[in-house]
Amino acid sequence: MMSGQGQKFKKSELGKLEIKGCHLGIVGTHYLDLKTGKKKVKFRLTDREVMQVGENTCIITASGDGVNETENDLPHKRIYMDYNATTPLEPEVIEAVTEAMKEAWGNPSSTYEPGRKAKEILDWSRTAVACMVGGKPDDIIFTSGGTEANNLVFHTAVNYFKDTWKNSGQNSLSADRDAKRSLPHFIISNVEHDSVKLVVEKLQKDGKGEVTFVPVSKVSGRAEVEDVISAVRPTTCLVSVMMANNETGVIMPISEIGERLKVLNQSRKGKFPRILFHTDAAQAIGKVHVDVEELGVDYLTIVGHKFYGPRIGALYVRGPAVESPLFPMFFGGGQERNFRPGTENTPMIAGLGKDAFGKQRIHFNSHFEDTDVLPNTCNVSIIGPSLQGRKVLFRCRRLLASVGAACHSDKCDKPSHILLSCGISYEIASCAVRLSVGRATTKEEVDVIVKDLVQAVARLEPCNPGTDVR
């Protein structure tokens, strides 16, 4: 019989533990909930094998040392609050990685089935990641992580400067300028991640570049737009400012900097090299809206493990080698269109794609700045070519809702004229679903409906790896 609260059992003592008069239930994926009388005990599943032998009796067999934890112990459990450092994998991400390991183990460059499956996953993941940041699939280059992505940007900027400076209008400068004036110049904030900061410091130390560290404002904590622009020189080839700081959480004015650089580049045309613009969005994705078109960046760094994905990364490049330069650091088999050679890590890329799926694809059509809305109404679009609102609702097994006013329910797939009048694009409005709760609606019901919508989307997009469509 079970005895003692919070007691540690050794394997020899716990060999078999019979608990009578108990209720057995699952709590998450890590614990079993055992209720016996007025006591509730949680057992770690990883250390036990539990077998239900009767309606009110179960047997726990130890596979190693472990601790049984009572409700009294729960207030003292450690609570993780370091999500800016890394995040745990979402269960569906683990499923996607596992499925890819089992079903898509082939080389994506091969033509047989496992290889074709791997290629399909790469293509799907590339599209999902691109959609997450508002780019195109061809703009996404998979990397080992954020550090590689950031290094690739600076490597590109150095080579880009070498190619363009000699062909620019630099002859208009005084002929006796010293050699330092023809070095590439970089502008970064003084609060950047080491994978940016140490790169420019190394370039400066080796005499391969110059750098201006723009100090953040002691009032706002931001790298102010005017301070960034005033640091520009004729030799400036790259501005790199993180989107959100990992320690303070301050969001930088990336869109505003992008707008100013766009105007500045127009005036530099034919005289000096174009100033490239990069932001490290590692801390922003999954927390705030990220759209490369709104930000006006040429490069954007994506880091999977910062938003519940695997430890892999990607670099958004606006039109690689067409609109924005990209010079490879590695040379090999030609993968990633020769920009990042090396056989692709299909399982990790599958996990990144799975995690990106849905992030930033949700558009709330009833969120307007400085406008109050009914607290019970949510008009939302899940963006995708096959995710028209009516199709999504048709495949929901629990949700009963509509795409708009009931009196206009015969309009087929035509989007709501109200949403179009509010400035919502045709594509997004076509995917709209209107949800409205009432007095009897519970939080549990809302959770069920969210899961129902996720599964409906999965049925409409079967190429989504690792999705449970049961």
Side-chain angles (χ1 to χ4, degrees), residues 12 15-16 29 74 178 180 203 249 259 267 300 307-308 354 379 413 418 449:
S12 58
K16 260 191 180 178
T29 59
L74 295 181
D178 60 28
K180 285 186 68 178
L203 289 170
E259 288 174 5
S267 66
L300 181 139
F307 55 97
Y308 305 90
K354 178 63 178 177
N379 194 303
D413 281 332
I418 293 176
I449 290 312

Side-chain angles (χ1 to χ4, degrees), residues 414-435:
K414 267 187 93 173
S416 162
H417 74 280
I418 293 176
L419 294 182
L420 296 175
S421 298
C422 290
I424 307 298
S425 72
Y426 191 97
E427 177 193 12
I428 293 175
S430 297
C431 299
V433 172
R434 186 188 65 177
L435 306 173

Side-chain angles (χ1 to χ4, degrees), residues 150-158 186 188 196 199-200 203 238 240:
N150 287 342
N151 273 260
L152 182 55
V153 171
F154 283 88
H155 172 81
T156 289
V158 169
F186 307 97
I188 71 169
V196 166
V199 173
V200 294
L203 289 170
L238 177 68
S240 179

Side-chain angles (χ1 to χ4, degrees), residues 174-381:
S174 61
D176 61 348
R177 68 186 185 279
D178 60 28
K180 285 186 68 178
R181 308 274 314 255
S182 62
L183 291 176
H185 174 241
F186 307 97
I187 299 173
I188 71 169
S189 80
N190 67 340
V191 295
E192 295 298 313
H193 189 270
D194 277 353
S195 60
V196 166
K197 175 177 173 285
L198 296 182
V199 173
V200 294
E201 287 180 349
K202 175 66 172 171
L203 289 170
Q204 187 166 248
K205 180 181 177 182
D206 292 346
K208 296 180 179 178
E210 295 182 298
V211 58
T212 298
F213 295 91
V214 175
V216 297
S217 165
K218 289 180 170 57
V219 176
S220 67
R222 307 194 319 171
E224 299 296 356
V225 179
E226 290 301 329
D227 293 337
V228 172
I229 299 303
S230 63
V232 169
R233 306 174 186 174
T235 54
T236 301
C237 63
L238 177 68
V239 172
S240 179
V241 178
M242 61 178 16
M243 188 168 177
N245 185 263
N246 51 309
E247 294 190 25
T248 64
V250 169
I251 298 175
M252 302 296 180
I254 302 302
S255 296
E256 293 91 332
I257 295 173
E259 288 174 5
R260 293 290 297 276
L261 287 176
K262 185 177 180 180
V263 173
L264 191 56
N265 275 328
Q266 288 295 325
S267 66
R268 289 167 60 100
K269 208 166 187 179
K271 301 177 184 176
F272 307 114
R274 169 183 154 210
I275 302 171
L276 305 171
F277 188 27
H278 165 248
T279 189
D280 182 344
Q283 294 294 340
I285 293 175
K287 301 169 189 171
V288 297
H289 180 64
V290 177
D291 187 297
V292 292
E293 293 300 327
E294 295 174 7
L295 297 173
V297 294
D298 300 299
Y299 310 95
L300 181 139
T301 297
I302 300 163
V303 183
H305 75 96
K306 300 294 186 182
F307 55 97
Y308 305 90
R311 285 188 172 90
I312 193 171
L315 179 66
Y316 161 83
V317 183
R318 183 184 299 276
V322 179
E323 294 182 63
S324 302
L326 189 62
F327 289 79
M329 292 192 296
F330 310 137
F331 297 89
Q335 293 85 354
E336 295 299 290
R337 288 154 287 156
N338 279 316
F339 295 124
R340 203 284 184 182
T343 303
E344 300 91 341
N345 190 341
T346 305
M348 295 301 104
I349 291 174
L352 181 64
K354 178 63 178 177
D355 197 40
F357 181 75
K359 285 183 173 66
Q360 309 301 335
R361 299 182 75 204
I362 307 298
H363 187 278
F364 291 97
N365 303 319
S366 48
H367 286 191
F368 299 97
E369 190 175 351
D370 300 324
T371 301
D372 294 328
V373 297
L374 293 173
N376 79 317
T377 304
C378 175
N379 194 303
V380 61
S381 293

Side-chain angles (χ1 to χ4, degrees), residues 67-89:
V67 181
N68 67 318
E69 299 168 337
T70 68
E71 281 185 320
N72 294 332
D73 296 317
L74 295 181
H76 305 291
K77 287 178 66 67
R78 291 181 180 270
I79 299 173
Y80 183 73
M81 285 195 179
D82 198 17
Y83 289 92
N84 280 4
T86 196
T87 56
L89 291 176

